[in-house]
Amino acid sequence: MKPTQMSTSAIDRFDFFTIAFDILISIVGSIIVNRLIPILKEKFIKAQLWGHDLNKRNSKEVKIAESQGVLAAGIFLVLMFIMIAVVFSEHLHPASVFPHKKFVEYLAALLSICCMVLLGFADDVLDLRWSVKLLLPLIASLPLLLVYFANYHSTTIILPKPVRPYLGQQWNLGILYYVYMSMVAVFCTNAINILAGVNGLEVGQSIVIAISILIFNLVELQGVCWEEHLFSLYFMIPFVACTFPILIKNWCPAEIFVGDTLCYFAGMTFAVVGIIGHFSKTMLLFFIPQIINFLLSVPQLFHFIPCPRHRLPRLDPELNKLNPSEVEFKKSDLKLLGWLMLRFFSMTKFIRYREYTNNDGERFISTTNFTIINTVLCWFGPLHEETLSRILILIQIVLGSLLTFFIRYYLVKFFYDS
Amino acid sequence: MKPTQMSTSAIDRFDFFTIAFDILISIVGSIIVNRLIPILKEKFIKAQLWGHDLNKRNSKEVKIAESQGVLAAGIFLVLMFIMIAVVFSEHLHPASVFPHKKFVEYLAALLSICCMVLLGFADDVLDLRWSVKLLLPLIASLPLLLVYFANYHSTTIILPKPVRPYLGQQWNLGILYYVYMSMVAVFCTNAINILAGVNGLEVGQSIVIAISILIFNLVELQGVCWEEHLFSLYFMIPFVACTFPILIKNWCPAEIFVGDTLCYFAGMTFAVVGIIGHFSKTMLLFFIPQIINFLLSVPQLFHFIPCPRHRLPRLDPELNKLNPSEVEFKKSDLKLLGWLMLRFFSMTKFIRYREYTNNDGERFISTTNFTIINTVLCWFGPLHEETLSRILILIQIVLGSLLTFFIRYYLVKFFYDS
Ligand SMILES: [Mg+2]
Ligand SMILES: [Mg+2]
């Protein structure tokens, strides 16, 4: 079996047929997810998988089914199992050489995704610890790394032009490249989970990212790496289809919640296509808003600044609008580093804080929480929840997708030879 | 890549190392499962994953955590992910030809198992319908069939000697062989779930089957198909290790319940090693007690005879012993086929029934339920639950394992050339 065998031919009629088939079964899958939500609602609530919508006036009265992402993930997996059989059906006559190399990619991808769905659902049901959430994506990404090793070996990265005089043309990262890939998996699975808490936001940003990847794949289908992008396309079409009904029902005012299941499912699916499709750098660019949100969260996540249990926006029941939530603490409790971070993010307008003296004469600080959801409310608030969602999705489209395409197809010329 | 490449060499030092490593991490996994059970108990109960033990006097007072099989399955998957990396580490220098053929087997196996664990856990949490339980193992076995196709093609079975004069030396089953394999997957995943309901029985029979497979693999490791049996061995060692702590705590009087998760997990693991390890016929022989139980259940499962919601034994609170449970119905409701089945299983002593006339002069039938658990109680009852469990496990050892080894290594001579 020659190593170049798979890339010699271009996209052919059979591939178009499989794409058409993928779209077809994705539509069916979408309809099934849409039907399953109302059918299974009572079962979820009976299984204690429900929550109150804290951003609503009548929050305590309505039980909203949680973890509905598991329906999308379950149907997605079924569709992908069928897709594998169809994609490889062209080799289903004994004379054909079965492309094992390509087959391992599909299997490893689905294995990693399936594991994360299981973890996500277990997390929703059992409420697992943080350490588990960081450790398990690492283990779930092992087969991916092995597949990468088996199929590509190469761990060399081409350096951008401006730094070449100092650092050389290219670097062989060796084992570090595998560390980088597992970090991508851990980052992606958790990134969507952190930028969450407003109706429609988790699944909305997932769909924006998925559609961006889909467009990127379609463009690159004409390039030399068409096979990797075809692979990614097969995953993205059913992903968008299966999560779309979830978005509709999770949009403000939410009838359902998506749960950690959806965040892990989406994150791992993106990590998988990014790694196996060889576009993990572009993939990370689609996550710019999540990266900004993560950097902004660092002071609170690592406790340089006190972190309350929830950092969701706060509802003003009279206006029915959301305000940024705040956290208060003694100024004397703040270490130097915390103070610098507070000042930095305040100067860059990401947060708003004020100092005051309480009755005992102690100096206190009250600051908005460090998430871009609160940042948006600082700038434009108070906002109705739906408006807030729209703005955040818009940020995802502009900062995540449009900026990425600008970098990837325009700016890149200044850093790399085409 | 020559198709015979993988079987030319014999078991080598690296393989012994991987077996030793497998045992080592399995022991660690066993300890972790054992630790996790008490740690996570409260979380399961809080998540409404608990039940009452109906066969105990104080059944209504104690909440027993359910679905603990998910802990064994989760740790099993983690161990297997590590094992894959270790098994293929011998090819981790770029000069080595990576054995993609072998790799797809591991990935497809784990993918099918992971899917079934997800389904099992979802079933425990959400209480899914019967049709789903039959359909999903079918879909989850698709990658397995594809791997079988990709790696072996052959769908020819050798016929036993006595029938050869009439039917020929061998048959090419073609597509029917794939139907047979998916039926094996569906049967295995559901078989353990049907023979259940007594403390320690589900996990006990799973461990008996697993240890039998393990012994079979060790014997066959010296044969020509050593590679397939080595594959199976890698799975069985952590399986036994991870489920053993579950058995200890699920043994009468149970501190935990195993849930559907364990039954699906065990069943799919057996199906996977049987199919990919090429010993699905021997595998089915290990399930003789489950097959008998299934055949015995047919009249009630297909409603020839009325089937109550539960067919568990009935507790006699004064003796603290179990009696067979019974179902009563009008004799006139029984169709001819039902009547024949009732007579047949009564004559073969699998059930015990009696007829009586009620006050209105109608003829009624009262029969013990059609499961081998009730059959054992008909023969030896009333029994303490632990004694019942012991007898059923003994049946599994004698009828499932010892008989199989007798058939496989002695009787087979009369039917096949060695
Ligand atoms: Mg092609
Ligand atoms: Mg070897």
Side-chain angles (χ1 to χ4, degrees):
Chain A
M1 204 190 294
K2 278 168 282 169
T4 54
Q5 185 203 14
M6 294 191 320
S7 7
T8 47
S9 56
I11 189 164
D12 57 23
R13 281 179 65 179
F14 182 76
D15 299 321
F16 280 115
F17 160 74
T18 54
I19 294 172
F21 184 82
D22 201 13
I23 293 172
L24 196 80
I25 60 171
S26 294
I27 291 169
V28 176
S30 189
I31 293 168
I32 293 175
V33 173
N34 197 41
R35 280 286 198 82
L36 281 180
I37 295 170
I39 291 174
L40 291 177
K41 191 179 169 186
E42 285 309 310
K43 293 208 174 198
F44 278 84
I45 290 176
K46 209 175 138 207
Q48 295 290 80
L49 286 169
W50 57 269
H52 290 307
D53 192 340
L54 298 174
N55 295 337
K56 299 290 182 297
R57 283 172 172 171
N58 61 351
S59 66
K60 291 288 165 205
E61 293 152 32
V62 190
K63 284 185 182 182
I64 298 180
E66 254 283 9
S67 316
Q68 300 291 299
V70 78
L71 299 178
I75 300 297
F76 172 85
L77 285 170
V78 171
L79 296 183
M80 285 311 301
F81 275 54
I82 297 170
M83 269 313 286
I84 290 192
V86 171
V87 167
F88 289 91
S89 67
E90 74 172 319
H91 304 282
L92 286 190
H93 52 97
S96 163
V97 178
F98 197 89
H100 283 90
K101 267 196 168 181
K102 199 169 138 189
F103 195 34
V104 293
E105 296 182 348
Y106 285 83
L107 292 177
L110 286 182
L111 181 55
S112 293
I113 294 172
C114 188
C115 267
M116 274 302 107
V117 174
L118 178 59
L119 172 67
F121 192 56
D123 191 11
D124 278 337
V125 174
L126 299 173
D127 211 356
L128 301 173
R129 270 193 286 169
W130 257 101
S131 53
V132 177
K133 303 183 189 188
L134 293 178
L135 191 66
L136 284 185
L138 212 64
I139 294 171
S141 67
L142 263 180
L144 283 184
L145 304 193
L146 216 54
V147 165
Y148 189 90
F149 179 86
N151 283 6
Y152 303 103
H153 291 310
S154 164
T155 53
T156 302
I157 55 163
I158 314 284
L159 291 178
K161 278 193 274 187
V163 302
R164 281 184 202 167
Y166 318 105
L167 301 172
Q169 182 91 3
Q170 54 183 38
W171 270 8
N172 187 352
L173 290 186
I175 192 114
L176 281 182
Y177 196 77
Y178 291 92
V179 174
Y180 157 74
M181 284 191 292
S182 39
M183 287 301 120
V184 169
V186 175
F187 171 77
C188 289
T189 43
N190 286 291
I192 292 167
N193 215 357
I194 298 179
L195 184 49
V198 178
N199 288 175
L201 182 57
E202 294 98 320
V203 58
Q205 60 182 316
S206 301
I207 289 182
V208 170
I209 295 174
I211 292 178
S212 310
I213 296 174
L214 214 148
I215 294 169
F216 180 57
N217 293 150
L218 284 175
V219 173
E220 294 294 321
L221 222 48
Q222 286 131 44
V224 280
C225 297
W226 64 272
E227 201 151 31
E228 280 84 358
H229 288 278
L230 185 60
F231 169 89
S232 171
L233 200 61
Y234 288 144
F235 282 77
M236 285 303 118
I237 293 169
F239 180 88
V240 172
C242 291
T243 50
F244 192 72
I246 305 278
L247 175 64
I248 301 291
K249 299 239 161 95
N250 183 235
W251 192 253
C252 188
E255 287 171 48
I256 58 169
F257 288 145
V258 298
D260 289 345
T261 318
L262 186 109
C263 301
Y264 290 1
F265 162 51
M268 200 57 165
T269 307
F270 299 150
V272 155
V273 297
I275 290 173
I276 296 192
H278 281 236
F279 55 88
S280 61
K281 277 178 293 178
T282 308
M283 170 65 72
L284 286 181
L285 290 178
F286 288 132
F287 279 88
I288 290 172
Q290 283 74 18
I291 293 172
I292 294 173
N293 186 60
F294 175 73
L295 294 177
L296 178 59
S297 295
V298 163
Q300 286 194 313
L301 289 184
F302 295 97
H303 296 286
F304 295 109
I305 285 164
C307 182
R309 179 141 169 64
H310 288 294
R311 304 189 294 168
L312 301 177
R314 196 168 39 78
L315 180 72
D316 178 341
E318 286 188 19
L319 290 171
N320 196 23
K321 289 191 170 176
L322 299 177
N323 281 309
S325 61
E326 297 182 343
V327 58
E328 298 185 3
F329 48 90
K330 280 186 202 164
K331 194 180 175 185
S332 56
D333 288 347
L334 210 59
K335 303 274 181 343
L336 176 67
L337 224 53
W339 172 251
L340 288 176
M341 288 169 172
L342 187 76
R343 288 294 303 157
F344 173 77
F345 284 118
S346 159
M347 274 163 57
T348 48
K349 305 284 182 209
F350 279 103
I351 59 142
R352 207 165 51 195
Y353 82 98
R354 64 195 167 85
E355 288 186 40
Y356 62 93
T357 313
N358 81 344
N359 296 338
D360 301 343
E362 283 179 302
R363 293 293 282 173
F364 269 76
I365 288 177
S366 169
T367 173
T368 60
N369 281 307
F370 288 54
T371 66
I372 59 174
I373 299 175
N374 286 309
T375 302
V376 168
L377 289 172
C378 283
W379 293 348
F380 308 112
L383 292 174
H384 186 268
E385 189 175 10
E386 190 171 6
T387 319
L388 175 61
S389 258
R390 285 206 178 122
I391 293 175
L392 287 163
I393 298 292
L394 193 70
I395 290 176
Q396 184 73 45
I397 295 174
V398 175
L399 274 190
S401 308
L402 298 183
L403 181 60
T404 299
F405 285 121
F406 177 71
I407 295 174
R408 184 68 183 65
Y409 288 111
Y410 181 74
L411 275 193
V412 76
K413 286 187 281 195
F414 303 107
F415 295 100
Y416 292 96
D417 312 305
S418 80
Chain B
M1 204 190 293
K2 278 169 284 170
T4 55
Q5 185 204 14
M6 296 193 318
S7 8
T8 46
S9 56
I11 188 164
D12 58 24
R13 281 178 67 181
F14 182 76
D15 298 323
F16 281 115
F17 160 74
T18 54
I19 294 173
F21 185 82
D22 202 13
I23 294 172
L24 195 80
I25 60 170
S26 294
I27 292 169
V28 175
S30 190
I31 293 167
I32 293 174
V33 173
N34 197 41
R35 281 283 199 85
L36 281 180
I37 295 170
I39 291 174
L40 291 177
K41 191 179 168 186
E42 285 310 310
K43 293 207 175 200
F44 278 84
I45 290 176
K46 208 174 139 206
Q48 296 291 78
L49 286 169
W50 56 268
H52 291 306
D53 192 340
L54 298 174
N55 294 337
K56 298 291 182 297
R57 282 170 172 172
N58 61 351
S59 67
K60 290 290 166 206
E61 293 152 33
V62 191
K63 285 185 180 179
I64 297 180
E66 254 284 8
S67 315
Q68 299 292 298
V70 77
L71 299 179
I75 299 296
F76 172 84
L77 285 170
V78 171
L79 294 183
M80 285 312 300
F81 275 53
I82 297 170
M83 270 312 287
I84 291 191
V86 171
V87 168
F88 289 90
S89 67
E90 71 171 323
H91 305 282
L92 284 191
H93 53 97
S96 164
V97 178
F98 197 88
H100 283 89
K101 266 196 166 179
K102 201 168 137 190
F103 194 35
V104 293
E105 296 182 348
Y106 285 83
L107 291 178
L110 286 181
L111 181 55
S112 292
I113 294 171
C114 188
C115 267
M116 274 302 107
V117 174
L118 178 59
L119 172 66
F121 192 57
D123 191 12
D124 278 336
V125 174
L126 299 173
D127 211 357
L128 300 173
R129 269 194 287 171
W130 258 101
S131 54
V132 177
K133 303 183 189 192
L134 293 178
L135 190 67
L136 284 186
L138 213 65
I139 294 171
S141 67
L142 263 181
L144 283 182
L145 305 192
L146 215 56
V147 165
Y148 189 89
F149 178 87
N151 283 4
Y152 303 103
H153 291 311
S154 165
T155 53
T156 301
I157 55 164
I158 313 286
L159 292 178
K161 279 194 275 190
V163 302
R164 282 186 203 166
Y166 318 105
L167 301 173
Q169 181 92 4
Q170 53 183 38
W171 271 7
N172 187 352
L173 291 185
I175 193 115
L176 281 183
Y177 196 76
Y178 291 92
V179 174
Y180 157 74
M181 285 192 290
S182 40
M183 286 301 121
V184 169
V186 174
F187 171 77
C188 289
T189 44
N190 285 293
I192 293 167
N193 215 358
I194 298 179
L195 183 49
V198 179
N199 287 176
L201 182 57
E202 295 98 318
V203 57
Q205 60 182 313
S206 301
I207 289 182
V208 170
I209 296 174
I211 291 178
S212 311
I213 297 173
L214 213 147
I215 294 170
F216 180 58
N217 292 150
L218 284 174
V219 173
E220 294 294 321
L221 222 48
Q222 286 131 44
V224 280
C225 296
W226 64 271
E227 201 151 33
E228 280 85 356
H229 289 278
L230 186 60
F231 169 88
S232 170
L233 200 60
Y234 288 144
F235 282 76
M236 285 303 119
I237 294 169
F239 180 87
V240 173
C242 290
T243 49
F244 192 72
I246 305 278
L247 174 63
I248 301 291
K249 298 237 161 95
N250 183 234
W251 192 254
C252 186
E255 286 171 48
I256 59 169
F257 288 145
V258 299
D260 289 344
T261 318
L262 188 109
C263 301
Y264 290 180
F265 162 50
M268 199 56 165
T269 307
F270 299 150
V272 155
V273 297
I275 290 173
I276 296 192
H278 281 236
F279 55 88
S280 61
K281 276 179 293 178
T282 309
M283 170 65 71
L284 286 181
L285 290 178
F286 288 132
F287 279 88
I288 290 172
Q290 283 75 17
I291 292 172
I292 294 174
N293 187 59
F294 175 73
L295 293 177
L296 179 58
S297 296
V298 163
Q300 287 194 313
L301 288 184
F302 295 97
H303 296 284
F304 295 110
I305 285 163
C307 183
R309 178 143 169 63
H310 287 295
R311 305 189 293 167
L312 300 177
R314 196 168 40 78
L315 179 72
D316 178 340
E318 284 186 20
L319 290 171
N320 196 22
K321 289 188 170 179
L322 299 177
N323 282 308
S325 61
E326 297 182 343
V327 59
E328 299 187 1
F329 48 91
K330 282 187 200 164
K331 194 180 175 184
S332 55
D333 288 348
L334 211 59
K335 303 276 179 343
L336 177 67
L337 224 52
W339 172 250
L340 288 176
M341 288 169 172
L342 187 76
R343 288 294 303 157
F344 173 77
F345 284 118
S346 159
M347 273 163 59
T348 47
K349 304 284 183 212
F350 279 103
I351 58 142
R352 207 165 52 194
Y353 82 98
R354 63 195 168 83
E355 289 187 38
Y356 63 92
T357 314
N358 80 345
N359 297 337
D360 301 344
E362 282 179 303
R363 293 294 283 171
F364 270 76
I365 288 178
S366 168
T367 173
T368 60
N369 281 307
F370 288 54
T371 67
I372 60 173
I373 299 175
N374 286 310
T375 302
V376 168
L377 288 171
C378 284
W379 294 348
F380 307 112
L383 292 175
H384 186 269
E385 189 174 9
E386 190 171 4
T387 320
L388 176 62
S389 257
R390 284 206 179 123
I391 293 175
L392 287 163
I393 298 292
L394 193 69
I395 290 177
Q396 184 73 43
I397 295 175
V398 175
L399 273 191
S401 307
L402 298 182
L403 181 61
T404 300
F405 286 122
F406 177 72
I407 296 173
R408 186 67 183 65
Y409 287 113
Y410 183 75
L411 275 193
V412 76
K413 286 187 282 195
F414 303 106
F415 295 100
Y416 291 98
D417 312 305
S418 81

